[in-house]
């Protein structure tokens, strides 16, 4: 009589098979999971040092914080990770600009005739509007004061509009010449990104002309820009989208439009021993040549972080 054989699985094999099925079910569930839904809001509050601040929360769960002193965005939290970085030596008492986040360099980038990086990042801006909804926004405005006139005697209006939604932070800077004569400026968003400096790679610059400001040497970019020492380089006529690998499998898309024609990559390296391993600056800029705005004219530039 022919015998029959039954298949026997050891308990350990059953556990492995069950775990594999569980992982497959989890992967399927993640693929079909509903998008995160949060209560969108705009909240004015007293931030660090009691400074006036505004918090935006979008319907997709992203959160951004902006301070009116300096008109600076200090935080952009996406999927639980802060894209931006504030240095540990940052102070919130108006004695100097807030060191980190997404600050302005205006009306001067770098050293020049007035204070380094201009005055926009170390004066109070006014909160001039907010917009509720799934993609909330705020507008901050800077106009001349006795302090700014003593430094740069021009009649201007600068607005910074921050919009949060769709997994993106959109920052638009608009400069209006409210005077009767043309004026010129250079500018950037001096953006600090949270990053493992050893993993940093800036993509999208291949073929661009560059100036190493530390070595005073010009060259053409041949590959991703990485950091192995102090870096302070300007890149000219850059494309509208750059990529930034920040480590841990994370990356940031940096898109620009309007008047941002250049880019800057900066790392102080060991000149900032306490934190240089934790951030890199990748800046949208208009610094190769001064921007001239005629009387009554407007200049505008946008940065989108995603």
């Amino acid at each position: 009589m022919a015998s029959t054989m039954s298949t026997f699985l050891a308990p350990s094999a059953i556990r492995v098979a069950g775990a594999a099925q569980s992982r497959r079910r989890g992967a399927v569930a993640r693929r079909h999971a509903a998008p995160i839904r949060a209560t969108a809001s705009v909240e004015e509050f007293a931030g660090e040092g009691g400074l006036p601040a505004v918090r935006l929360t979008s319907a997709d769960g992203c959160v951004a914080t902006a301070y009116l002193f300096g008109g600076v965005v200090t935080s952009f939290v996406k999927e639980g990770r802060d894209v931006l970085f504030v240095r540990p030596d940052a102070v919130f008492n108006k004695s100097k600009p807030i060191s980190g986040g997404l600050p302005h360099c205006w009306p001067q980038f770098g050293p020049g005739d007035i204070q380094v990086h201009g005055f926009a990042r170390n004066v109070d801006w006014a909160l001039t509007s907010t917009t509720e909804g799934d993609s909330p926004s705020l507008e901050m405005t800077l106009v001349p004061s006795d302090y700014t006139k003593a430094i740069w005697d021009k009649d201007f209006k600068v607005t910074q509009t921050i919009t949060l939604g769709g997994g993106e932070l959109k920052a638009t800077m608009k400069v209006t010449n409210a005077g009767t004569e043309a004026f010129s400026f250079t500018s950037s968003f001096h953006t600090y990104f949270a990053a493992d400096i050893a993993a940093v790679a800036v993509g999208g610059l291949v073929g661009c002309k560059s100036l190493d400001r530390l070595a005073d040497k010009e060259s053409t970019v041949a590959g991703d820009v990485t950091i192995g020492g102090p870096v302070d380089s300007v890149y000219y006529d850059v494309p509208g989208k750059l990529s930034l690998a920040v480590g841990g499998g994370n990356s940031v898309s940096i898109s620009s439009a309007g008047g941002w024609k250049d880019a800057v990559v900066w790392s102080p390296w060991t000149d900032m021993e306490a934190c240089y391993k934790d951030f890199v600056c990748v800046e949208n800029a208009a610094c190769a040549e001064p921007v001239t705005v005629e009387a009554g004219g407007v200049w505008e530039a946008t940065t989108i972080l995603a």
Side-chain angles (χ1 to χ4, degrees):
M1 184 175 68
S3 61
T4 60
M5 296 183 63
S6 60
T7 302
F8 174 76
L9 290 177
S12 60
I14 294 173
R15 286 195 296 271
V16 170
Q21 291 172 352
S22 177
R23 287 194 296 270
R24 286 194 293 272
R25 285 194 297 269
V28 171
R30 285 191 295 274
R31 285 197 299 271
H32 296 284
I36 294 174
R37 183 76 183 177
T39 302
S41 63
V42 179
E43 176 191 0
E44 297 180 47
F45 68 103
E48 290 196 45
L51 297 181
V54 183
R55 180 182 296 114
L56 302 178
T57 302
S58 58
D60 57 10
C62 294
V63 181
T65 301
Y67 279 75
L68 300 189
F69 177 70
V72 57
V73 178
T74 56
S75 177
F76 168 36
V77 177
K78 176 181 178 180
E79 298 175 349
R81 189 184 76 86
D82 203 331
V83 174
L84 302 178
F85 180 82
V86 174
R87 284 170 20 198
D89 63 340
V91 296
F92 292 78
N93 60 11
K94 298 189 179 183
S95 65
K96 66 175 186 176
I98 296 171
S99 301
L102 195 159
H104 308 82
C105 296
W106 191 87
Q108 179 177 286
F109 171 80
D113 294 336
I114 63 175
Q115 60 187 260
V116 173
H117 289 332
F119 52 72
R121 63 190 189 136
N122 63 335
V123 293
D124 288 314
W125 293 55
L127 180 64
T128 44
S129 71
T130 60
T131 303
E132 304 277 354
D134 287 354
S135 299
S137 67
L138 63 88
E139 179 190 80
M140 299 177 284
T141 300
L142 179 66
V143 294
S145 64
D146 290 344
Y147 173 77
T148 67
K149 288 178 181 178
I151 299 170
W152 198 64
D153 189 17
K154 309 297 179 184
D155 195 1
F156 63 84
K157 177 183 177 182
V158 182
T159 60
Q160 161 96 317
T161 303
I162 305 297
T163 305
L164 194 65
E168 299 177 342
L169 184 147
K170 180 180 179 181
T172 297
M173 182 178 182
K174 181 184 290 186
V175 178
T176 300
N177 183 343
T180 58
E181 297 180 351
F183 62 63
S184 299
F185 64 85
T186 53
S187 183
S188 80
F189 279 152
H190 191 4
T191 312
Y192 287 68
F193 291 97
D196 172 1
I197 198 66
V200 163
V202 183
L205 293 170
V206 171
C208 293
K209 301 294 184 182
S210 69
L211 171 65
D212 181 337
R213 300 204 302 171
L214 299 178
D216 192 23
K217 180 180 178 181
E218 294 186 337
S219 62
T220 301
V221 181
D224 287 353
V225 176
T226 57
I227 311 295
V231 174
D232 187 359
S233 294
V234 180
Y235 303 88
Y236 305 123
D237 296 320
V238 302
K241 187 173 183 178
L242 305 178
S243 64
L244 172 62
V246 296
N250 297 307
S251 63
V252 183
S253 169
I254 306 167
S255 299
S256 61
W260 296 138
K261 305 298 184 185
D262 311 311
V264 178
V265 177
W266 178 69
S267 168
W269 204 243
T270 53
D271 282 352
M272 293 184 184
E273 185 67 41
C275 61
Y276 80 92
K277 295 180 181 179
D278 301 323
F279 79 92
V280 67
C281 287
V282 180
E283 312 172 36
N284 291 128
C287 61
E289 298 290 341
V291 174
T292 298
V293 183
E294 299 296 332
V298 176
W299 175 91
E300 184 173 312
T302 294
T303 291
I304 299 175
L305 307 181

